[in-house]
Amino acid sequence: MKKKIFRIKKLKWKRKLVCLTAYSKPITKILDKYCDIILVGDSVATAFYGMKNTKSISLGTMINHSLAVKKSVKKSLFVVDMPINTYKNFREAEKNAKIISKTVRCDAVKIESNGKNFNIIRHLVKSGIPVMGHIGYTPQYKKKFKLYGLKQNEEKKLIEESKKIEKAGAFSIVLECIAEKTAKKITDIINIPTIGIGSSKFCDGQILVTDDLIGLSGFYPKFVKKYLNLQKILEKGIRKFKDDVIKGKFPKKMNTY
Ligand code: KIV
């Protein structure tokens, strides 16, 4: 576990980090071949369950998806998001982070920062649980999806926040929806890898929600590049199945016992 974390930290100085989210075993099997980090994000709430936001996903649901993902993780660093109500104080955070890491045997947990939570991060790291931070647009705390760090005061706050997260012992930080100039400054200032989502190329790595990248989520802000239109591909296949069933073309003899 520690070796993998060390490798990820060292890559900051060598090459960009490739990171994606996963919620299931079959998708993870593909991602694991190409990713440095696989995250079971609490975006499972919106992208998979169609919930309004990520606030009401339960620890149990995160654990179930993580157990499925774990089955296919062979080489990537495996990170699990802590749901919002699971790290309210030291005791809760440690108890729940230990439940997650013991049950799913992940390499690290991720915690959104909201300008606070530095002591929680420090406490978890001291208890032996590696932590990834998350700043900028942090869906667990912010109502409106917007860009952060354009204004001088916001930039200053984000730089301070990232320094505090690094000092607390996190091994990397997700920068979500942060203006290019600010993301660049943070990446240059801190010594742990920054993983950007909607935060420009000036981050040490990039992460996307896989369902957005494959065109399945229906959520395509400017920072998402749809590499695939899986919705269209699925439509084609399902429509063909429907036609075959209606016309009696399926099942054929070869599909029959
Ligand atoms: O929940 C999630 O998928 C995330 C990524 C967007 C970084 O936090």
Side-chain angles (χ1 to χ4, degrees):
M1 177 162 103
K2 297 276 149 61
K3 241 163 108 177
K4 275 190 180 178
I5 300 273
F6 184 67
R7 180 182 161 268
I8 292 290
K9 283 172 87 172
K10 259 180 51 185
L11 282 173
K12 174 172 178 104
W13 315 109
K14 291 192 177 140
R15 65 155 170 86
K16 298 277 185 184
L17 288 155
V18 180
C19 319
L20 283 170
T21 62
Y23 315 132
S24 71
K25 178 178 175 249
I27 298 280
T28 307
K29 195 172 172 190
I30 303 167
L31 303 190
D32 190 55
K33 288 190 232 166
Y34 305 101
C35 288
D36 295 301
I37 299 178
I38 290 180
L39 168 74
V40 179
D42 61 357
S43 55
V44 69
T46 47
F48 187 89
Y49 288 103
M51 293 175 178
K52 213 169 68 211
N53 53 50
T54 58
K55 296 185 210 308
S56 44
I57 199 77
S58 69
L59 184 62
T61 304
M62 289 301 293
I63 286 176
N64 284 339
H65 283 276
S66 304
L67 284 171
V69 166
K70 175 69 183 176
K71 290 187 175 155
S72 291
V73 177
K74 299 283 179 274
K75 65 159 198 42
S76 317
L77 187 88
F78 178 29
V79 184
V80 177
D81 244 340
M82 292 193 69
I84 184 163
N85 290 320
T86 61
Y87 57 95
K88 281 185 280 191
N89 52 51
F90 287 171
R91 212 170 56 86
E92 285 284 297
E94 186 178 341
K95 183 187 85 185
N96 291 318
K98 282 191 171 158
I99 290 176
I100 295 173
S101 60
K102 284 204 175 121
T103 316
V104 310
R105 288 177 297 117
C106 58
D107 299 304
V109 296
K110 177 163 81 59
I111 284 185
E112 293 185 11
S113 157
N114 196 32
K116 298 181 205 136
N117 300 335
F118 313 118
N119 288 334
I120 299 270
I121 295 175
R122 186 172 298 109
H123 184 74
L124 290 183
V125 174
K126 274 198 180 147
S127 336
I129 300 162
V131 179
M132 180 181 230
H134 184 159
I135 62 169
Y137 176 66
T138 45
Q140 291 182 358
Y141 298 101
K142 315 257 165 60
K143 277 200 179 125
K144 237 179 103 202
F145 180 70
K146 76 165 198 93
L147 180 71
Y148 289 81
L150 259 188
K151 295 182 198 141
Q152 200 69 37
N153 63 331
E154 271 183 10
E155 177 176 294
K156 202 170 155 227
K157 247 165 115 178
L158 285 165
I159 291 174
E160 284 315 306
E161 200 173 356
S162 56
K163 282 190 197 164
K164 283 183 184 164
I165 290 173
E166 179 181 24
K167 205 165 163 217
F171 73 91
S172 86
I173 311 181
V174 168
L175 309 189
E176 183 160 354
C177 274
I178 293 181
E180 183 180 62
K181 66 179 181 94
T182 308
K184 185 174 184 322
K185 279 185 193 162
I186 294 171
T187 303
D188 288 345
I189 289 170
I190 64 173
N191 289 300
I192 52 173
T194 57
I195 311 296
I197 171 162
S199 299
S200 87
K201 64 178 181 184
F202 296 108
C203 294
D204 298 306
Q206 296 292 326
I207 187 163
L208 281 178
V209 169
T210 301
D211 292 47
D212 298 343
L213 172 155
I214 62 177
L216 202 57
S217 66
F219 179 71
Y220 312 117
K222 179 176 165 170
F223 67 78
V224 170
K225 180 170 172 185
K226 229 204 272 178
Y227 283 83
L228 201 71
N229 193 338
L230 196 54
Q231 204 157 4
K232 226 174 167 175
I233 296 169
L234 286 176
E235 283 251 7
K236 206 172 152 197
I238 309 292
R239 204 181 318 117
K240 183 83 179 89
F241 170 71
K242 181 186 171 184
D243 283 356
D244 284 357
V245 169
I246 286 175
K247 290 176 186 158
K249 287 186 178 172
F250 177 84
K252 285 201 163 78
K253 207 159 182 58
M254 65 185 294
N255 311 114
T256 308
Y257 296 99

